[in-house]
Amino acid sequence: MMDIRANLRARLDAAVGGEHVLTDPAATASYVSDWRGRFHGQALAVVRPASTDQVAAVVRACAELGVPIVPQGGNTGQCGGATPDERGDAIVLSLARMNRVRAVDPANATLTAEAGVPLATVQTAAADAGLMFPLSLAAEGSCTIGGNLSTNAGGHAVLRFGNTRELVLGIEVVLADGRIWDGLRGLRKDNTGYDLKQLFIGAEGTLGIVTATVLRLFPAPRARATALAALSDVAGAVRLLFDLRQAMGDRITGFELMSAQSMALSRKHQPALPDPCPGSPWYALLQIDDNAVDSPVSAQLERALNVALESGIVQDATIAQSGEQARALWSLRENIAEAQRRDGPNIKHDISVPVSVIARFLDAAGPALASAFPGLRFVVFGHLGDGNLHYNLAAPEGVAPTTFLANTARANRIVYDLVAAHGGSISAEHGIGQQKRDELVRYKSAVEIDLMRAVKTALDPSGIFNPGKIFPPGP
Amino acid sequence: MMDIRANLRARLDAAVGGEHVLTDPAATASYVSDWRGRFHGQALAVVRPASTDQVAAVVRACAELGVPIVPQGGNTGQCGGATPDERGDAIVLSLARMNRVRAVDPANATLTAEAGVPLATVQTAAADAGLMFPLSLAAEGSCTIGGNLSTNAGGHAVLRFGNTRELVLGIEVVLADGRIWDGLRGLRKDNTGYDLKQLFIGAEGTLGIVTATVLRLFPAPRARATALAALSDVAGAVRLLFDLRQAMGDRITGFELMSAQSMALSRKHQPALPDPCPGSPWYALLQIDDNAVDSPVSAQLERALNVALESGIVQDATIAQSGEQARALWSLRENIAEAQRRDGPNIKHDISVPVSVIARFLDAAGPALASAFPGLRFVVFGHLGDGNLHYNLAAPEGVAPTTFLANTARANRIVYDLVAAHGGSISAEHGIGQQKRDELVRYKSAVEIDLMRAVKTALDPSGIFNPGKIFPPGP
């Protein structure tokens, strides 16, 4: 054992330089637990390569010595996908030093970035070229583009621009045998065999180490309208989405659903927030973006909302008259997660169902949970346009956190069984990691699990990449 | 041999009914050659299942007896991907009888169709629901949606809506062991493990038989502006695309490049076509679509073109004043292929390069080819917004077809070497099939070929699906 470790240390030092092989517990602590402190592990070392060749050298060393590798970007994941397990026989491979924007090509509307570039840096580099990279999420200041690819991150603009998968034209990957696959193509059309990059996007580091990517850029929006619509039910929100899309098409960048309870919770912990259109059970936060500065987006949105008011789909609505008012409306939505954290423990579910069955799902799940857990408080909000709900459950008044959280498995079963019955997904945008790996086996068909295992075995036959993630750990 | 055939015949008859197992040469002729008569093969039988279960039964029978399967949709492919080889030891599996639209879900903006549904039928079913399926290509009346998926078809609206891959939410596939994978999910967000559907899209039937799919629908455009812009060079066309995207974003549905020669050829064989903005070497055909009936797309396009005229990017421009004028402009573009066919033999290339290097590629390829083949005539047009050129070469005046076509391999080498040197693709939208399988090995890295083979072996270990397509045939 000592021999292997000494040998490994020498190989890693040679690959990346001794100062970038961290073993001191004080130096490695922030890498072996997740940012929320829910997953904890150990590692032989934290290795910080600065180039693709260095990553390849690390992988070759680990492959030869049988040492598992846990790749890590900004360590902002939700499901423990970047945290090593307790065995302590793996290394953490941090991509943080691979942080160069390699190229921006405005005429091709592409940007080439290394895996460790923070998402916010990608956004800024695109803006500096007069363009926009549309991926946007709460952790954008610290998450990395490599992590975004590996988890196929979603975020606020999926309705219009798609998930991360749709934003990627090319990738560079270090494979399980240490070879480098240069798939850094910047092409909109390329039908030359299997689209291999799709395998590595969303694979959570279990098939290869993504070291760089070619991303699609878009013209930046210059006109914006933001509104809040009050609704009597979720079916009305689905109808409003349909009608708005007919009237405004792809200009709808945001269509966020919020229950009155979730908005009230947001205001409870930030009383300065506005209270527009009070008295309805559901609200939709709408954002329309267009390119030309003088595009009549506000007038178009106002007209569409008037039609919805007259037909009774919408009960009330307010259109932001300034950037400040628009930001206040968005704060109502964005403050919900923080308000939940302050308010006490939650059992959270990041789920999706077809947009057309959202109302039916809620009608089934609400009573089932209320009956199982009397006094339960619901905090329901999410990206309605994507069918993606953050379906969160807060403790009844006066119930202690530990008592409430002991119900997690039972609550999950009720929610996930109903999600499955409605053709949905138990992880819409956060991935599987270690948190949901046992649920995955329960809710996927045997055929699909077999296909996934066949792909894993084909690309990582000895299983050195991120063991125990997505799939349950081996013996 | 006779035993296996008799056994196979019995199994196939039991699976699909004897009347749907065709062996009479008169009945099978149209299935064993491609529609253009360039690829010819033989088959033990043509089998026409009517359901997914029947497809599974056929695959199980063939797997047990070691009989290869060539899946076929509308038989409209460009590269011989659906044509069996000369050995005659395979069956052709036609999906034509699986032609049901299973469901349309307007609120979820999805449509579920079986593989054999013609693309035009999908378009019509979407329109009947007040929505639109944007995939559109010349063969849409006879090609099938299963074939579109298997070749990741491109077409006229990729700039705005992406290739077929971006339009698919779910698929159903019969695997090499005859099991059915039901991946018919209608979700915008689903991060539960590997995105397996991506493997089968664009795989040209070499990994499984796609039997059904869930497709994304979009609001139908109701306002349209069409224009032709005359340009002094291709760099100006790229600049115009950038500026138009900044001004109008995703509303640009079409941005087609045409050389003056290709337009002249179009008019030569259809003299009634208009001759707008004569005297320039290059032209761009522009189409802007928007949702609201009263969207000011014509005014916005006129303003953008005026800016381009003033800055000298555009030499001249005309905006269609009626649907009839718009159709006439599009006829100039759409008639090029037919005009080429009438004019004599062509050596055709369906290639892509990054949009930013299109001009550089043309500057390199033109002189190299003109020097190799004195008097060569160029017919260059394509989807500029996708970097996709139909880079076609016509015989010099007076050179006999067979003499000219004998140069094909040499011309391909010049073109493809320059495509590769410019970071491009030797097959932008038509796939590999049998036509380009040897080129693929030449232009892909060994690492990428190994990855592709690993995937093929993992999903189709005994190689029964479409042998000799994408990869060179085995011994």
Side-chain angles (χ1 to χ4, degrees):
Chain A
M1 192 67 179
M2 287 303 282
D3 280 353
I4 289 175
R5 289 203 185 196
N7 192 353
L8 176 68
R9 174 86 212 198
R11 292 284 299 271
L12 296 175
D13 287 358
V16 303
E19 70 275 31
H20 300 299
V21 181
L22 315 179
T23 52
D24 177 358
T28 62
S30 66
Y31 296 90
V32 296
S33 294
D34 79 311
W35 64 288
R36 292 198 292 198
R38 295 189 307 165
F39 301 96
H40 304 278
Q42 298 185 64
L44 294 174
V46 174
V47 185
R48 293 165 47 90
S51 70
T52 305
D53 285 339
Q54 289 188 4
V55 173
V58 170
V59 171
R60 281 196 303 272
C62 289
E64 285 169 28
L65 300 171
V67 174
I69 300 171
V70 180
Q72 190 175 97
N75 195 15
T76 62
Q78 305 277 352
C79 300
T83 308
D85 65 23
E86 288 287 352
R87 302 184 197 188
D89 60 354
I91 66 159
V92 170
L93 190 152
S94 167
L95 281 303
R97 291 178 67 224
M98 290 197 62
N99 58 2
R100 280 191 314 133
V101 173
R102 288 189 190 166
V104 182
D105 182 345
N108 197 42
T110 52
L111 181 153
T112 307
E114 293 179 345
V117 176
L119 173 54
T121 304
V122 172
Q123 294 167 343
T124 303
D128 289 348
L131 293 164
M132 174 195 58
F133 183 63
L135 184 66
S136 172
L137 41 89
E140 61 196 28
S142 42
C143 67
T144 62
I145 193 66
N148 298 145
L149 261 71
S150 291
T151 57
N152 185 30
H156 301 313
V158 173
L159 179 61
R160 179 163 176 177
F161 296 102
N163 297 283
T164 300
R165 184 181 302 281
E166 282 80 49
L167 305 174
V168 174
L169 291 181
I171 60 173
E172 178 187 82
V173 184
V174 176
L175 304 173
D177 60 6
R179 292 197 295 173
I180 298 164
W181 174 48
D182 178 357
L184 286 176
R185 294 189 272 265
L187 303 173
R188 258 73 185 174
K189 280 186 178 170
D190 178 23
N191 273 333
T192 51
Y194 307 150
D195 191 353
L196 297 166
K197 67 176 178 291
Q198 306 292 348
L199 281 173
F200 301 97
I201 300 169
E204 304 188 29
T206 62
L207 298 179
I209 313 281
V210 175
T211 50
T213 176
V214 180
L215 302 168
R216 296 173 65 190
L217 305 181
F218 295 81
R222 290 187 176 78
R224 171 165 295 177
T226 307
L228 188 83
L231 300 143
S232 56
D233 55 29
V234 173
V238 172
R239 180 74 216 187
L240 179 63
L241 172 66
F242 184 88
D243 291 346
L244 282 181
R245 291 190 84 202
Q246 294 290 88
M248 276 175 290
D250 289 343
R251 265 161 288 182
I252 308 172
T253 313
F255 196 109
E256 300 287 307
L257 181 74
M258 297 180 281
S259 68
Q261 293 100 311
S262 61
M263 279 172 64
L265 185 70
S266 194
R267 272 194 307 275
K268 174 180 167 190
H269 293 277
Q270 199 168 317
L273 287 174
D275 186 13
C277 313
S280 287
W282 292 98
Y283 295 85
L285 178 60
L286 317 172
Q287 183 173 307
I288 315 295
D289 286 314
D290 207 343
N291 293 91
V293 176
D294 56 354
S295 281
V297 282
S298 284
Q300 288 175 330
L301 180 58
E302 189 173 343
R303 193 173 53 182
L305 286 174
N306 275 330
V307 171
L309 276 162
E310 281 163 26
S311 63
I313 292 170
V314 164
Q315 297 187 304
D316 194 4
T318 180
I319 297 182
Q321 300 301 318
S322 66
E324 197 181 350
Q325 286 184 13
R327 277 187 295 278
L329 291 179
W330 270 101
S331 293
L332 279 169
R333 162 70 177 84
E334 287 167 351
N335 194 50
I336 297 173
E338 172 65 12
Q340 283 185 278
R341 200 188 59 74
R342 290 203 220 165
D343 210 63
N346 275 254
I347 301 172
K348 296 189 174 188
H349 304 102
D350 164 46
I351 57 172
S352 66
V353 293
V355 174
S356 50
V357 303
I358 291 178
R360 237 178 297 158
F361 166 79
L362 291 172
D363 287 346
L369 289 159
S371 151
F373 309 107
L376 187 70
R377 294 177 298 161
F378 294 85
V379 184
V380 178
F381 59 101
H383 315 288
L384 183 88
D386 315 320
N388 178 192
L389 295 177
H390 297 302
Y391 191 78
N392 298 342
L393 311 174
E397 294 288 352
V399 172
T402 46
T403 310
F404 179 64
L405 291 179
N407 297 311
T408 301
R410 202 173 138 219
N412 288 353
R413 189 61 56 238
I414 293 172
V415 172
Y416 293 153
D417 279 357
L418 283 168
V419 165
H422 287 79
S425 167
I426 64 164
S427 189
E429 59 178 6
H430 295 165
I432 300 299
Q434 42 188 306
Q435 188 186 22
K436 293 184 180 174
R437 65 192 178 200
D438 297 321
E439 301 287 1
L440 194 73
V441 180
R442 182 181 180 94
Y443 291 104
K444 291 270 186 197
S445 68
V447 174
E448 187 158 346
I449 294 287
D450 286 352
L451 273 173
M452 286 175 52
R453 285 198 188 278
V455 169
K456 171 72 174 175
T457 303
L459 269 67
D460 180 21
S462 53
I464 66 163
F465 285 141
N466 218 3
K469 312 300 164 51
I470 297 184
F471 303 99
Chain B
M1 191 66 179
M2 285 304 282
D3 280 351
I4 289 174
R5 290 204 185 195
N7 192 355
L8 176 69
R9 175 83 211 200
R11 293 284 299 270
L12 296 175
D13 286 357
V16 304
E19 70 272 35
H20 301 297
V21 181
L22 315 179
T23 51
D24 177 359
T28 61
S30 66
Y31 297 88
V32 296
S33 293
D34 78 313
W35 65 288
R36 291 198 292 199
R38 295 189 308 165
F39 301 97
H40 304 279
Q42 299 186 62
L44 293 176
V46 174
V47 185
R48 293 164 48 90
S51 70
T52 305
D53 285 337
Q54 289 189 3
V55 173
V58 170
V59 171
R60 280 195 304 273
C62 289
E64 285 168 30
L65 300 172
V67 174
I69 299 171
V70 180
Q72 190 176 96
N75 195 15
T76 62
Q78 304 278 350
C79 300
T83 307
D85 64 23
E86 289 286 354
R87 300 184 200 190
D89 60 355
I91 66 159
V92 170
L93 191 152
S94 166
L95 282 303
R97 290 179 66 225
M98 289 196 63
N99 59 2
R100 281 191 315 134
V101 174
R102 289 190 191 164
V104 182
D105 182 346
N108 197 44
T110 51
L111 181 153
T112 307
E114 292 180 345
V117 176
L119 172 54
T121 304
V122 173
Q123 295 166 342
T124 303
D128 289 346
L131 293 163
M132 175 196 57
F133 183 63
L135 184 65
S136 172
L137 41 86
E140 60 196 29
S142 43
C143 67
T144 62
I145 193 66
N148 299 144
L149 260 72
S150 290
T151 56
N152 185 29
H156 301 314
V158 173
L159 179 61
R160 178 162 179 180
F161 295 101
N163 298 284
T164 299
R165 184 181 301 282
E166 282 80 49
L167 304 175
V168 174
L169 292 181
I171 59 172
E172 178 187 82
V173 185
V174 176
L175 305 173
D177 59 6
R179 291 196 296 173
I180 298 164
W181 173 49
D182 178 358
L184 286 176
R185 293 188 275 265
L187 303 172
R188 258 74 185 174
K189 281 185 177 172
D190 178 23
N191 273 333
T192 50
Y194 308 150
D195 191 353
L196 296 167
K197 68 176 176 290
Q198 305 292 347
L199 281 173
F200 301 97
I201 300 169
E204 303 188 30
T206 62
L207 299 179
I209 313 281
V210 175
T211 49
T213 175
V214 181
L215 303 168
R216 297 174 66 190
L217 304 181
F218 295 81
R222 291 187 177 77
R224 171 166 293 176
T226 307
L228 189 84
L231 300 143
S232 56
D233 55 30
V234 173
V238 172
R239 180 73 215 185
L240 179 64
L241 172 66
F242 184 88
D243 291 347
L244 281 181
R245 290 190 83 202
Q246 294 289 88
M248 276 175 290
D250 289 342
R251 263 162 291 182
I252 308 172
T253 313
F255 196 111
E256 299 287 307
L257 181 74
M258 297 179 281
S259 68
Q261 294 101 311
S262 60
M263 279 171 64
L265 186 68
S266 194
R267 270 194 308 276
K268 174 179 166 190
H269 292 276
Q270 197 167 318
L273 287 174
D275 186 13
C277 313
S280 286
W282 292 98
Y283 295 86
L285 178 60
L286 317 172
Q287 183 173 307
I288 316 293
D289 286 313
D290 207 344
N291 295 90
V293 176
D294 56 353
S295 280
V297 282
S298 284
Q300 288 176 329
L301 180 58
E302 188 172 346
R303 193 172 57 183
L305 286 173
N306 275 330
V307 171
L309 277 161
E310 280 163 26
S311 64
I313 292 171
V314 163
Q315 295 188 304
D316 194 1
T318 179
I319 298 182
Q321 300 300 318
S322 66
E324 196 181 352
Q325 285 184 15
R327 278 188 294 279
L329 291 179
W330 271 102
S331 293
L332 278 170
R333 162 68 177 85
E334 286 167 352
N335 193 51
I336 296 173
E338 172 65 15
Q340 282 186 279
R341 199 187 61 73
R342 289 203 221 165
D343 210 63
N346 274 255
I347 301 172
K348 296 189 173 190
H349 304 101
D350 165 46
I351 57 172
S352 67
V353 294
V355 174
S356 50
V357 304
I358 290 177
R360 236 178 298 156
F361 166 79
L362 291 173
D363 287 348
L369 288 159
S371 151
F373 309 106
L376 187 70
R377 294 176 299 159
F378 294 86
V379 184
V380 178
F381 60 102
H383 316 289
L384 182 89
D386 315 319
N388 179 192
L389 295 179
H390 297 301
Y391 191 78
N392 299 341
L393 311 174
E397 295 286 352
V399 171
T402 46
T403 310
F404 179 63
L405 291 178
N407 296 312
T408 301
R410 202 172 140 221
N412 289 353
R413 188 63 57 240
I414 293 172
V415 172
Y416 293 153
D417 280 357
L418 283 168
V419 165
H422 287 80
S425 167
I426 63 163
S427 188
E429 58 178 9
H430 294 166
I432 300 299
Q434 43 187 308
Q435 188 186 22
K436 293 185 180 174
R437 64 192 179 200
D438 297 321
E439 301 287 359
L440 195 73
V441 181
R442 182 181 179 94
Y443 290 104
K444 291 271 184 196
S445 68
V447 174
E448 188 159 345
I449 294 288
D450 286 353
L451 273 173
M452 285 175 52
R453 285 198 188 278
V455 169
K456 171 71 175 176
T457 303
L459 269 66
D460 180 21
S462 53
I464 65 162
F465 285 140
N466 219 2
K469 311 299 163 53
I470 297 185
F471 304 99

